[in-house]
Amino acid sequence: MSHLFPTYQRWEIEPEKASGTVIYAKDGREYLDFTSGIGVCNLGHRPEAVEQAVKEQLELFWHVSNLFPQSIQEEAATKLAAASGLDYVFFANSGAEANEAAIKMARKATGRTKIITFLQSFHGRTFAGMAATGQEKIKQGFGSMLETFIHLPFNDLEALSKEIDSDTAAVMIEMVQGEGGIHVVTADFIKEASRICTENGVLLIVDEIQTGIGRTGKPFAFQHFDISPDIITVAKGLGNGLPIGAAIGKMELAEHFGPGSHGSTFGGNPISTAAASAVMDIIFDEKYLTEVTAKGELLFQLLDKELGSLGAVKEIRGLGLMAGIELTVAAPPILAQLRKSGLIALPAGEKVIRLLPPLSVSAEELEKAVLIMKDNIVKTTVTAS
């Protein structure tokens, strides 16, 4: 028997090693990985520059605690601040922890308690993260949630305008709802929402856990829109597999997040921050992001061409190298068939296939993956009918 709690529905594939876009399984098979470890390995598996940075730091020190100044933390924080246009960074271990920090920061800085989020959103599995999440299935069985979290329809400006009041500390939003089905925020909504927040002294928190670090062709997805968030949260792709998260905030928030206000024993671990610094050197390069944008455009061209006319495909949506294919049938059986055909993809709800290929993916691999999808969607839906 396994001594692991059965919290995950694990696949039938056990990895032995991985490199680039490929996972090599213990059964001898090779799989094209279009999950990137759920949006984590943006540079693919074991990129040389990141591996080298980790090895170098391993030979120096692994952990000393945040009582010590650490140049590697300052280096990574400087790169995050420069890329985001914000000023201060708090390092955590994960996206959920980064969102916890953002929520605490917003409530403390404003002296208010209400946080507005959106239906279909996902912000983590801690109690604050669950309370912020706009999906009931995440909360089932855990009793009463933390109070003063309000969930509104996504992209509904009228609902937002009515709900913001003098007790609203923040509006927390994803530019692309990843776990919720790959729904993209509209430019009109987010620009007006930002204006309303500013007018009412409400902080705008953008959850970039899945969309940040180059995933959409920009350092951060909010940069596709004409807005300036007060707080950004990142994780996943930041360490390319090493555990790290961060809350990035504007300068005026620093006075509310001083000594004793928050902390993390392992947050900003030197091994993880060394990896993050190496990741940002590659991904935040303008030429690299231009290539990611071109790959994203190619991906959606291929999806539209090969899948757009299929009867089982209802809608194709996304941004950059983050795509969702909404089906008229259940996604899990098709995902299982994809794995048998050598392609690993993700669900995003019951009827959505989610693609998160590494940013390093080639044009040939994109075409190969889309054709595998086409073949299996056709076969699975024909068999089902």
Side-chain angles (χ1 to χ4, degrees):
M1 61 171 278
S2 171
H3 291 281
L4 296 170
F5 273 110
T7 49
Y8 303 103
Q9 292 183 338
R10 299 183 190 271
W11 295 332
E12 65 282 0
I13 302 164
E14 183 174 355
E16 184 171 53
K17 62 179 181 177
S19 178
T21 57
V22 179
I23 290 176
Y24 301 89
K26 284 193 172 182
D27 63 5
R29 295 194 64 194
E30 298 180 11
Y31 297 87
L32 191 57
D33 181 11
F34 268 46
T35 74
S36 300
I38 315 184
V40 169
C41 299
N42 282 4
L43 291 174
H45 296 282
R46 296 182 55 227
E48 184 177 346
V50 179
E51 187 169 321
Q52 183 60 35
V54 168
K55 286 179 178 178
E56 289 175 4
Q57 185 59 47
L58 279 169
E59 294 179 354
L60 298 175
F61 59 92
W62 300 2
H63 175 84
V64 292
S65 89
N66 285 308
L67 297 175
F68 294 84
Q70 298 174 54
S71 296
I72 193 65
Q73 282 189 358
E74 293 288 351
E75 182 181 299
T78 297
K79 292 172 184 178
L80 278 173
S84 66
L86 275 65
D87 303 291
Y88 286 99
V89 175
F90 175 84
F91 283 117
N93 301 294
S94 66
E97 286 189 18
N99 283 340
E100 289 276 338
I103 289 165
K104 287 179 67 174
M105 196 184 305
R107 290 179 62 153
K108 195 168 190 289
T110 62
R112 304 173 181 181
T113 58
K114 186 163 77 174
I115 308 284
I116 296 173
T117 68
F118 297 90
L119 296 174
Q120 302 165 325
S121 63
F122 182 81
H123 299 292
R125 294 182 183 273
T126 60
F127 260 90
M130 285 194 299
T133 293
Q135 299 185 52
E136 285 303 313
K137 67 180 181 180
I138 301 298
K139 309 172 187 184
Q140 290 175 0
F142 295 104
S144 300
M145 290 290 108
L146 299 180
E147 297 178 354
T148 65
F149 285 89
I150 305 296
H151 310 104
L152 302 179
F154 194 50
N155 286 325
D156 189 330
L157 189 59
E158 183 179 357
L160 180 63
S161 299
K162 289 179 179 178
E163 189 61 49
I164 283 185
D165 58 20
S166 60
D167 192 40
T168 305
V171 171
M172 189 173 192
I173 188 169
E174 301 157 278
M175 296 296 95
V176 184
Q177 293 183 326
E179 303 294 328
I182 315 296
H183 297 281
V184 183
V185 74
T186 64
D188 289 344
F189 174 80
I190 193 58
K191 188 172 182 178
E192 189 64 14
S194 178
R195 183 191 66 79
I196 293 171
C197 285
T198 301
E199 285 185 355
N200 289 275
V202 174
L203 300 182
L204 179 61
I205 303 171
V206 176
D207 180 336
E208 294 263 9
I209 307 303
Q210 195 163 140
T211 55
I213 319 299
R215 172 57 55 186
T216 66
K218 300 278 189 184
F220 304 96
F222 81 85
Q223 292 166 333
H224 289 279
F225 309 95
D226 186 22
I227 62 168
S228 177
D230 298 287
I231 303 171
I232 306 162
T233 56
V234 294
K236 288 188 180 289
L238 181 57
N240 209 81
L242 277 290
I244 188 170
I248 315 166
K250 287 185 173 179
M251 184 171 293
E252 53 267 30
L253 295 171
E255 64 179 290
H256 305 287
F257 228 50
S261 60
H262 197 47
S264 171
T265 297
F266 295 108
N269 173 272
I271 308 301
S272 293
T273 47
S277 187
V279 165
M280 289 186 281
D281 283 343
I282 297 170
I283 291 181
F284 289 168
D285 179 76
E286 187 175 344
K287 182 180 178 182
Y288 191 88
L289 289 170
T290 299
E291 293 173 356
V292 172
T293 298
K295 291 175 186 177
E297 291 171 353
L298 174 61
L299 173 60
F300 281 95
Q301 289 169 6
L302 290 167
L303 290 171
D304 289 336
K305 176 185 175 183
E306 302 295 342
L307 306 186
S309 62
L310 299 182
V313 175
K314 181 178 179 182
E315 186 179 13
I316 299 167
R317 52 183 181 257
L319 187 63
L321 284 172
M322 186 175 186
I325 300 94
E326 184 172 355
L327 306 171
T328 59
V329 296
I334 294 176
L335 288 166
Q337 286 302 125
L338 292 180
R339 293 194 294 274
K340 290 180 181 179
S341 299
L343 174 65
I344 309 173
L346 292 162
E350 183 61 26
K351 293 186 177 182
V352 177
I353 294 173
R354 177 175 28 156
L355 302 179
L356 296 172
L359 309 186
S360 55
V361 69
S362 69
E364 292 75 19
E365 288 168 331
L366 288 172
E367 184 172 11
K368 179 181 178 181
V370 172
L371 291 175
I372 291 173
M373 289 181 62
K374 179 181 180 180
D375 183 55
N376 281 278
I377 290 173
V378 170
K379 286 181 178 178
T380 306
T381 51
V382 167
T383 301
S385 62

